[in-house]
């Protein structure tokens, strides 16, 4: 995949990623030739409805695809190395240190039986080879940065003593402990109260600038990435539909799926809460069963523009304009 | 503060429970028959006068309520009465025979816990592989095989065919193994401990494996991995400690029910422990012994439960005693 901003250097370049789940019911072709990438300091919005493969793609970057899933092919070039070739011993030096992840559900992503200080300190001590005292200082400092009041006393608290928003702040602090180059934020606000969602997004935006990190912001809601992403990749049923700058995605969307997604975003005159309460029903239908995915274009059964050709030929990603790629036979 | 009140409440409850259980057992024994009648039935020459004397010596001529109250009053003063069959103080019998039971039960439970943690960790991190199926199959077999069958199988293999371990008793009747009492004792313990450990390990392994499988799927485990912690720390530091919590209850039950599983093991290996004593005492209605052992079984169960509840508070910070 080509990057066109000549000033900055490609930090991540994923190409031909293919992940299958070998289940009792059959082989789930969850990710099929996905490609995306981003440059240092950039924010990429990874958008698609639930089940399109956003979480699995993110976990693949850390080589943490859960069983029975397997990465069958592709390249994950990160800082000029291909992570696909890295051993587990090399990966544990990258996870949390150079690429970190923030999860969808803060209520479940902290270990219930360890204090905040214990679990964040452990990561710090492991990566930075420092002692408990130094680790506590660094953790306290980071908790302060993510907007947690009285951080020193929070070290001794257990996750269940914190509110949902606080937990997500702790999770953000955990991801940023070692100042990674790339943060994967997997629907970081989906499970939070509406009032807190905006705060968390703002916090992420601030910290990203402060640490000069790149970020992949995963969401099923284009509204969330509207103000934050430099570029947006739209995916559907394990394939890429379209990648372009955020501005072009909103003003000149090419893929029928992107257009359908955009039509679900309420206008500014409607209240913000509507975005959250409305379940994403793009067009009639749902993500297909990926054990027997649709032939040709995976979106064709739900596409308003589809014809016979779409059910036979798999569209390739083609460049419609510099920095704007689309996989649709009609473009 | 909270915890102290909790303990006191449980101890008060325990007193009532013990009263209830001992009263029930006491009246049940008496409903079955009279130990002196059973003893004397085998000796036809004895006059009624002698029998009456013996009965009055054991207070068997009094009313049931009086007998129970007397027993209870003595127990409070740590006097458990005298065994009718062995003619020894029940208190010291409980200690001596009890030690033999503890000797095989405690090691087997501890060995089982260690092995179960090891097997469960191996199996759960290799879910649905041959190793996992192997561990689960062996454990299911251990759980479903009746204890006495395991025992007899062990005797058949290790005593009868291989001849390397003794099949009965706690000590050699003639000279101890290699002149060492300790070695001799360990040598005799081996098969009974193996019999108990197989069942306990099997049960604990299945229990811990299934909760490990659940825990390993949780977000906080994936998050720990995503933070770069090595597999060993994630599995043993983060997953295992969570997975062991449900197994705590079972562990406490194992300790509490030590005397419940003792009769079968001790009968198979003619082991001079409380289980063996309990069976013979029941056969001969030796009521001071039956009452003493019943009291201990109840006490152990209640204390094990109390201990688990307290342990939970220390292991799982989400639990508060109310
Ligand atoms: N454990 C699993 N077993 C089988 N299939 C799975 C598993 N996890 C994910 N998948 C497949 O991967 C697809 C993508 O999942 P995911 O990445 O979680 O979607 P998203 O995050 O976009 O909602 C799912 O639709 C499903 O078909
Ligand atoms: Mg997801």
């Amino acid at each position: 995949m080509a990057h066109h901003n000549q000033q900055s250097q490609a930090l991540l370049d994923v190409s031909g990623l293919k992940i299958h789940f070998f289940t009792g019911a059959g082989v789930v072709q969850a990710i099929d030739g996905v490609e995306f990438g981003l440059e240092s300091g950039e924010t990429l919005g990874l958008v698609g409805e639930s089940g399109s493969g956003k979480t699995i793609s993110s976990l693949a970057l850390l080589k943490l695809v859960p069983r029975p899933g397997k990465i069958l092919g592709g390249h994950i070039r990160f800082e000029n190395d291909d992570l696909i070739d890295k051993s587990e011993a090399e990966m544990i030096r990258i996870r949390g240190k150079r690429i970190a992840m923030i999860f969808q559900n803060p209520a479940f992503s902290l270990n219930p039986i360890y204090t905040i200080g214990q679990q964040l300190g452990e990561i710090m001590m492991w990566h930075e080879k420092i002692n408990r005292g130094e680790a506590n200082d660094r953790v306290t400092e980071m908790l302060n940065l993510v907007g947690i009041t009285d951080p020193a006393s929070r070290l001794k608290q257990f996750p269940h003593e914190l509110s949902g928003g606080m937990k997500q702040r702790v999770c953000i602090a955990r991801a940023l402990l070692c100042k990674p180059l790339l943060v994967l934020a997997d629907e970081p606000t989906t499970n939070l109260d509406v009032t807190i969602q905006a705060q968390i997004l703002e916090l992420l935006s601030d910290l990203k600038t402060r640490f000069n990190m790149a970020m992949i912001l995963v969401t099923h809601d284009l509204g969330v990435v509207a103000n934050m992403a430099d570029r947006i990749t739209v995916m559907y049923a394990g394939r890429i539909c379209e990648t372009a700058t955020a501005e072009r995605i909103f003003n000149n969307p090419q893929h029928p799926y992107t257009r359908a997604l955009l039509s679900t975003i309420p206008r500014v005159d409607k209240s913000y809460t509507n975005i959250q309460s409305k379940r994403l029903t793009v067009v009639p239908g749902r993500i297909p069963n990926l054990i027997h995915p649709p032939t040709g274009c995976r979106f064709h059964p739900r596409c308003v523009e589809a014809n016979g050709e779409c059910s036979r030929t798999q569209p390739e990603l083609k460049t419609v304009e510099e920095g704007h790629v689309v996989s649709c036979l009609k473009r | 503060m909270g915890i102290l009140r909790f303990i006191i409440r449980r101890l008060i409850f325990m007193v009532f429970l013990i009263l209830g259980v001992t009263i029930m057992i006491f009246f049940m024994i008496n409903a079955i028959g009279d130990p002196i009648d059973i003893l004397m039935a085998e000796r036809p020459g004895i006059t009624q006068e002698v029998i009456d004397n013996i009965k009055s010596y054991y207070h068997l001529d009094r009313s049931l309520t009086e007998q129970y109250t007397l027993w209870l009053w003595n127990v409070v003063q740590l006097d458990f009465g005298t065994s009718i069959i062995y003619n020894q103080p029940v208190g010291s019998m409980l200690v001596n025979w009890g030690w033999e039971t503890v000797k095989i039960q405690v090691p087997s439970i501890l060995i089982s816990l260690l092995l179960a943690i090891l097997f469960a960790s191996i199996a759960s991190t290799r879910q649905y592989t041959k190793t996992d199926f192997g561990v689960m199959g062996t454990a299911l077999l251990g759980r479903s095989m009746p204890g006495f069958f395991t025992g007899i199988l062990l005797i058949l293999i290790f005593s009868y065919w291989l001849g390397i371990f003794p099949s009965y008793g706690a000590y050699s009747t003639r000279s101890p193994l290699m002149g060492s009492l300790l070695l001799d004792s360990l040598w005799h313990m081996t098969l009974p401990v193996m019999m108990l450990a197989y069942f306990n390990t099997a049960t604990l392994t299945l229990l811990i494996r299934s909760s490990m499988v659940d825990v390993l799927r949780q977000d906080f485990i994936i998050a720990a991995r995503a933070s770069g912690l090595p597999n060993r720390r994630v599995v043993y530091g983060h997953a295992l400690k969570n997975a062991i919590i449900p197994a705590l209850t079972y562990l406490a039950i194992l300790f509490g029910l030590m005397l419940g599983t003792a009769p079968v093991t001790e009968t198979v290996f003619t082991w001079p422990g409380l289980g063996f004593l309990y069976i013979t005492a029941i056969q001969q209605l030796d009521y001071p012994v039956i009452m003493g052992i019943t009291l201990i079984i109840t006490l152990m169960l209640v204390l094990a439960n109390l201990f688990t509840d307290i342990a939970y508070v220390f292991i799982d910070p989400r639990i508060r005693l109310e």
Side-chain angles (χ1 to χ4, degrees), chain B residues 92-113:
Chain B
S92 65
M93 282 176 76
L94 291 180
V95 172
N96 294 336
W97 295 65
W99 166 242
E100 295 300 334
T101 296
V102 167
K103 230 168 76 180
I104 52 172
Q105 292 276 351
V106 173
S108 95
I109 294 174
L110 295 181
I111 290 172
S112 303
L113 181 64

PDB file of all heavy atoms in Angstrom, chain B residues 92-113:
ATOM      1  N   SER B  92      -7.862 -39.785  73.945  1.00  0.00           N
ATOM      2  CA  SER B  92      -6.528 -40.132  73.453  1.00  0.00           C
ATOM      3  C   SER B  92      -6.626 -41.040  72.233  1.00  0.00           C
ATOM      4  O   SER B  92      -5.757 -41.018  71.359  1.00  0.00           O
ATOM      5  CB  SER B  92      -5.691 -40.783  74.558  1.00  0.00           C
ATOM      6  OG  SER B  92      -6.262 -42.012  74.927  1.00  0.00           O
ATOM      7  N   MET B  93      -7.722 -41.832  72.143  1.00  0.00           N
ATOM      8  CA  MET B  93      -7.909 -42.648  70.936  1.00  0.00           C
ATOM      9  C   MET B  93      -8.081 -41.754  69.707  1.00  0.00           C
ATOM     10  O   MET B  93      -7.537 -42.027  68.642  1.00  0.00           O
ATOM     11  CB  MET B  93      -9.146 -43.543  71.070  1.00  0.00           C
ATOM     12  CG  MET B  93      -8.910 -44.768  71.917  1.00  0.00           C
ATOM     13  SD  MET B  93     -10.431 -45.694  72.129  1.00  0.00           S
ATOM     14  CE  MET B  93     -10.566 -46.494  70.540  1.00  0.00           C
ATOM     15  N   LEU B  94      -8.882 -40.670  69.887  1.00  0.00           N
ATOM     16  CA  LEU B  94      -9.106 -39.748  68.761  1.00  0.00           C
ATOM     17  C   LEU B  94      -7.784 -39.175  68.282  1.00  0.00           C
ATOM     18  O   LEU B  94      -7.539 -39.053  67.083  1.00  0.00           O
ATOM     19  CB  LEU B  94     -10.044 -38.610  69.170  1.00  0.00           C
ATOM     20  CG  LEU B  94     -11.503 -38.982  69.430  1.00  0.00           C
ATOM     21  CD1 LEU B  94     -12.313 -37.742  69.824  1.00  0.00           C
ATOM     22  CD2 LEU B  94     -12.130 -39.643  68.213  1.00  0.00           C
ATOM     23  N   VAL B  95      -6.915 -38.844  69.239  1.00  0.00           N
ATOM     24  CA  VAL B  95      -5.626 -38.265  68.865  1.00  0.00           C
ATOM     25  C   VAL B  95      -4.756 -39.300  68.145  1.00  0.00           C
ATOM     26  O   VAL B  95      -4.227 -39.041  67.061  1.00  0.00           O
ATOM     27  CB  VAL B  95      -4.895 -37.712  70.113  1.00  0.00           C
ATOM     28  CG1 VAL B  95      -3.480 -37.280  69.755  1.00  0.00           C
ATOM     29  CG2 VAL B  95      -5.692 -36.568  70.719  1.00  0.00           C
ATOM     30  N   ASN B  96      -4.639 -40.500  68.737  1.00  0.00           N
ATOM     31  CA  ASN B  96      -3.743 -41.507  68.168  1.00  0.00           C
ATOM     32  C   ASN B  96      -4.204 -42.006  66.799  1.00  0.00           C
ATOM     33  O   ASN B  96      -3.427 -42.072  65.858  1.00  0.00           O
ATOM     34  CB  ASN B  96      -3.613 -42.697  69.120  1.00  0.00           C
ATOM     35  CG  ASN B  96      -2.925 -42.284  70.415  1.00  0.00           C
ATOM     36  OD1 ASN B  96      -2.175 -41.304  70.432  1.00  0.00           O
ATOM     37  ND2 ASN B  96      -3.201 -43.003  71.498  1.00  0.00           N
ATOM     38  N   TRP B  97      -5.480 -42.394  66.714  1.00  0.00           N
ATOM     39  CA  TRP B  97      -5.992 -42.894  65.440  1.00  0.00           C
ATOM     40  C   TRP B  97      -6.122 -41.731  64.438  1.00  0.00           C
ATOM     41  O   TRP B  97      -5.922 -41.918  63.242  1.00  0.00           O
ATOM     42  CB  TRP B  97      -7.355 -43.589  65.613  1.00  0.00           C
ATOM     43  CG  TRP B  97      -7.306 -44.843  66.451  1.00  0.00           C
ATOM     44  CD1 TRP B  97      -6.994 -44.921  67.773  1.00  0.00           C
ATOM     45  CD2 TRP B  97      -7.559 -46.180  66.003  1.00  0.00           C
ATOM     46  NE1 TRP B  97      -7.040 -46.239  68.199  1.00  0.00           N
ATOM     47  CE2 TRP B  97      -7.396 -47.033  67.127  1.00  0.00           C
ATOM     48  CE3 TRP B  97      -7.912 -46.741  64.777  1.00  0.00           C
ATOM     49  CZ2 TRP B  97      -7.586 -48.420  67.056  1.00  0.00           C
ATOM     50  CZ3 TRP B  97      -8.114 -48.123  64.717  1.00  0.00           C
ATOM     51  CH2 TRP B  97      -7.929 -48.956  65.841  1.00  0.00           C
ATOM     52  N   GLY B  98      -6.463 -40.566  64.955  1.00  0.00           N
ATOM     53  CA  GLY B  98      -6.619 -39.387  64.091  1.00  0.00           C
ATOM     54  C   GLY B  98      -5.317 -39.038  63.404  1.00  0.00           C
ATOM     55  O   GLY B  98      -5.294 -38.686  62.221  1.00  0.00           O
ATOM     56  N   TRP B  99      -4.223 -39.168  64.131  1.00  0.00           N
ATOM     57  CA  TRP B  99      -2.911 -38.866  63.547  1.00  0.00           C
ATOM     58  C   TRP B  99      -2.657 -39.743  62.321  1.00  0.00           C
ATOM     59  O   TRP B  99      -2.144 -39.274  61.302  1.00  0.00           O
ATOM     60  CB  TRP B  99      -1.826 -39.049  64.605  1.00  0.00           C
ATOM     61  CG  TRP B  99      -0.438 -39.095  64.040  1.00  0.00           C
ATOM     62  CD1 TRP B  99       0.445 -40.130  64.114  1.00  0.00           C
ATOM     63  CD2 TRP B  99       0.223 -38.064  63.296  1.00  0.00           C
ATOM     64  NE1 TRP B  99       1.602 -39.819  63.464  1.00  0.00           N
ATOM     65  CE2 TRP B  99       1.495 -38.548  62.946  1.00  0.00           C
ATOM     66  CE3 TRP B  99      -0.144 -36.786  62.885  1.00  0.00           C
ATOM     67  CZ2 TRP B  99       2.409 -37.818  62.205  1.00  0.00           C
ATOM     68  CZ3 TRP B  99       0.764 -36.042  62.139  1.00  0.00           C
ATOM     69  CH2 TRP B  99       2.022 -36.553  61.813  1.00  0.00           C
ATOM     70  N   GLU B 100      -3.032 -41.016  62.407  1.00  0.00           N
ATOM     71  CA  GLU B 100      -2.813 -41.920  61.273  1.00  0.00           C
ATOM     72  C   GLU B 100      -3.622 -41.468  60.057  1.00  0.00           C
ATOM     73  O   GLU B 100      -3.176 -41.574  58.915  1.00  0.00           O
ATOM     74  CB  GLU B 100      -3.195 -43.362  61.644  1.00  0.00           C
ATOM     75  CG  GLU B 100      -2.321 -43.986  62.730  1.00  0.00           C
ATOM     76  CD  GLU B 100      -0.841 -44.054  62.339  1.00  0.00           C
ATOM     77  OE1 GLU B 100      -0.544 -44.091  61.124  1.00  0.00           O
ATOM     78  OE2 GLU B 100       0.019 -44.048  63.244  1.00  0.00           O
ATOM     79  N   THR B 101      -4.826 -40.954  60.313  1.00  0.00           N
ATOM     80  CA  THR B 101      -5.661 -40.472  59.201  1.00  0.00           C
ATOM     81  C   THR B 101      -5.047 -39.222  58.574  1.00  0.00           C
ATOM     82  O   THR B 101      -4.907 -39.119  57.355  1.00  0.00           O
ATOM     83  CB  THR B 101      -7.086 -40.168  59.699  1.00  0.00           C
ATOM     84  OG1 THR B 101      -7.671 -41.388  60.139  1.00  0.00           O
ATOM     85  CG2 THR B 101      -7.942 -39.572  58.601  1.00  0.00           C
ATOM     86  N   VAL B 102      -4.668 -38.278  59.438  1.00  0.00           N
ATOM     87  CA  VAL B 102      -4.058 -37.037  58.957  1.00  0.00           C
ATOM     88  C   VAL B 102      -2.818 -37.352  58.116  1.00  0.00           C
ATOM     89  O   VAL B 102      -2.560 -36.730  57.095  1.00  0.00           O
ATOM     90  CB  VAL B 102      -3.695 -36.137  60.165  1.00  0.00           C
ATOM     91  CG1 VAL B 102      -2.781 -34.998  59.753  1.00  0.00           C
ATOM     92  CG2 VAL B 102      -4.965 -35.595  60.798  1.00  0.00           C
ATOM     93  N   LYS B 103      -2.051 -38.362  58.585  1.00  0.00           N
ATOM     94  CA  LYS B 103      -0.807 -38.740  57.925  1.00  0.00           C
ATOM     95  C   LYS B 103      -0.989 -39.097  56.454  1.00  0.00           C
ATOM     96  O   LYS B 103      -0.106 -38.836  55.633  1.00  0.00           O
ATOM     97  CB  LYS B 103      -0.223 -39.964  58.661  1.00  0.00           C
ATOM     98  CG  LYS B 103       1.222 -39.824  59.024  1.00  0.00           C
ATOM     99  CD  LYS B 103       1.647 -40.910  59.985  1.00  0.00           C
ATOM    100  CE  LYS B 103       1.830 -42.259  59.314  1.00  0.00           C
ATOM    101  NZ  LYS B 103       2.241 -43.297  60.280  1.00  0.00           N
ATOM    102  N   ILE B 104      -2.122 -39.733  56.107  1.00  0.00           N
ATOM    103  CA  ILE B 104      -2.307 -40.040  54.679  1.00  0.00           C
ATOM    104  C   ILE B 104      -3.163 -38.994  53.969  1.00  0.00           C
ATOM    105  O   ILE B 104      -3.008 -38.762  52.785  1.00  0.00           O
ATOM    106  CB  ILE B 104      -2.889 -41.461  54.434  1.00  0.00           C
ATOM    107  CG1 ILE B 104      -4.152 -41.694  55.261  1.00  0.00           C
ATOM    108  CG2 ILE B 104      -1.844 -42.518  54.720  1.00  0.00           C
ATOM    109  CD1 ILE B 104      -4.857 -42.994  54.897  1.00  0.00           C
ATOM    110  N   GLN B 105      -4.082 -38.328  54.716  1.00  0.00           N
ATOM    111  CA  GLN B 105      -5.000 -37.393  54.056  1.00  0.00           C
ATOM    112  C   GLN B 105      -4.322 -36.072  53.685  1.00  0.00           C
ATOM    113  O   GLN B 105      -4.454 -35.615  52.556  1.00  0.00           O
ATOM    114  CB  GLN B 105      -6.207 -37.110  54.957  1.00  0.00           C
ATOM    115  CG  GLN B 105      -7.116 -38.303  55.150  1.00  0.00           C
ATOM    116  CD  GLN B 105      -8.130 -38.459  54.020  1.00  0.00           C
ATOM    117  OE1 GLN B 105      -8.270 -37.599  53.173  1.00  0.00           O
ATOM    118  NE2 GLN B 105      -8.824 -39.580  54.024  1.00  0.00           N
ATOM    119  N   VAL B 106      -3.621 -35.475  54.640  1.00  0.00           N
ATOM    120  CA  VAL B 106      -3.041 -34.155  54.372  1.00  0.00           C
ATOM    121  C   VAL B 106      -2.012 -34.206  53.229  1.00  0.00           C
ATOM    122  O   VAL B 106      -2.096 -33.417  52.298  1.00  0.00           O
ATOM    123  CB  VAL B 106      -2.480 -33.523  55.661  1.00  0.00           C
ATOM    124  CG1 VAL B 106      -1.725 -32.247  55.349  1.00  0.00           C
ATOM    125  CG2 VAL B 106      -3.619 -33.235  56.626  1.00  0.00           C
ATOM    126  N   PRO B 107      -1.056 -35.169  53.279  1.00  0.00           N
ATOM    127  CA  PRO B 107      -0.130 -35.215  52.136  1.00  0.00           C
ATOM    128  C   PRO B 107      -0.858 -35.424  50.816  1.00  0.00           C
ATOM    129  O   PRO B 107      -0.503 -34.817  49.809  1.00  0.00           O
ATOM    130  CB  PRO B 107       0.769 -36.411  52.449  1.00  0.00           C
ATOM    131  CG  PRO B 107       0.656 -36.601  53.908  1.00  0.00           C
ATOM    132  CD  PRO B 107      -0.720 -36.158  54.297  1.00  0.00           C
ATOM    133  N   SER B 108      -1.885 -36.280  50.823  1.00  0.00           N
ATOM    134  CA  SER B 108      -2.549 -36.550  49.545  1.00  0.00           C
ATOM    135  C   SER B 108      -3.255 -35.299  49.025  1.00  0.00           C
ATOM    136  O   SER B 108      -3.242 -35.026  47.832  1.00  0.00           O
ATOM    137  CB  SER B 108      -3.514 -37.721  49.674  1.00  0.00           C
ATOM    138  OG  SER B 108      -4.817 -37.272  49.925  1.00  0.00           O
ATOM    139  N   ILE B 109      -3.843 -34.514  49.925  1.00  0.00           N
ATOM    140  CA  ILE B 109      -4.529 -33.296  49.473  1.00  0.00           C
ATOM    141  C   ILE B 109      -3.516 -32.285  48.941  1.00  0.00           C
ATOM    142  O   ILE B 109      -3.718 -31.687  47.888  1.00  0.00           O
ATOM    143  CB  ILE B 109      -5.370 -32.677  50.613  1.00  0.00           C
ATOM    144  CG1 ILE B 109      -6.522 -33.621  50.986  1.00  0.00           C
ATOM    145  CG2 ILE B 109      -5.930 -31.320  50.208  1.00  0.00           C
ATOM    146  CD1 ILE B 109      -7.332 -33.179  52.180  1.00  0.00           C
ATOM    147  N   LEU B 110      -2.402 -32.122  49.655  1.00  0.00           N
ATOM    148  CA  LEU B 110      -1.401 -31.157  49.211  1.00  0.00           C
ATOM    149  C   LEU B 110      -0.764 -31.581  47.885  1.00  0.00           C
ATOM    150  O   LEU B 110      -0.614 -30.772  46.973  1.00  0.00           O
ATOM    151  CB  LEU B 110      -0.319 -30.975  50.290  1.00  0.00           C
ATOM    152  CG  LEU B 110      -0.845 -30.359  51.591  1.00  0.00           C
ATOM    153  CD1 LEU B 110       0.280 -30.176  52.596  1.00  0.00           C
ATOM    154  CD2 LEU B 110      -1.536 -29.024  51.312  1.00  0.00           C
ATOM    155  N   ILE B 111      -0.429 -32.867  47.781  1.00  0.00           N
ATOM    156  CA  ILE B 111       0.130 -33.372  46.521  1.00  0.00           C
ATOM    157  C   ILE B 111      -0.884 -33.153  45.398  1.00  0.00           C
ATOM    158  O   ILE B 111      -0.546 -32.701  44.300  1.00  0.00           O
ATOM    159  CB  ILE B 111       0.483 -34.873  46.643  1.00  0.00           C
ATOM    160  CG1 ILE B 111       1.684 -35.054  47.577  1.00  0.00           C
ATOM    161  CG2 ILE B 111       0.773 -35.480  45.270  1.00  0.00           C
ATOM    162  CD1 ILE B 111       1.989 -36.494  47.926  1.00  0.00           C
ATOM    163  N   SER B 112      -2.154 -33.440  45.692  1.00  0.00           N
ATOM    164  CA  SER B 112      -3.199 -33.294  44.671  1.00  0.00           C
ATOM    165  C   SER B 112      -3.300 -31.858  44.190  1.00  0.00           C
ATOM    166  O   SER B 112      -3.443 -31.603  42.995  1.00  0.00           O
ATOM    167  CB  SER B 112      -4.564 -33.702  45.223  1.00  0.00           C
ATOM    168  OG  SER B 112      -4.523 -35.005  45.687  1.00  0.00           O
ATOM    169  N   LEU B 113      -3.232 -30.927  45.140  1.00  0.00           N
ATOM    170  CA  LEU B 113      -3.365 -29.521  44.758  1.00  0.00           C
ATOM    171  C   LEU B 113      -2.225 -29.112  43.822  1.00  0.00           C
ATOM    172  O   LEU B 113      -2.452 -28.511  42.772  1.00  0.00           O
ATOM    173  CB  LEU B 113      -3.376 -28.631  46.001  1.00  0.00           C
ATOM    174  CG  LEU B 113      -3.540 -27.148  45.715  1.00  0.00           C
ATOM    175  CD1 LEU B 113      -4.883 -26.869  45.074  1.00  0.00           C
ATOM    176  CD2 LEU B 113      -3.393 -26.319  46.983  1.00  0.00           C
TER     177      LEU B 113
END
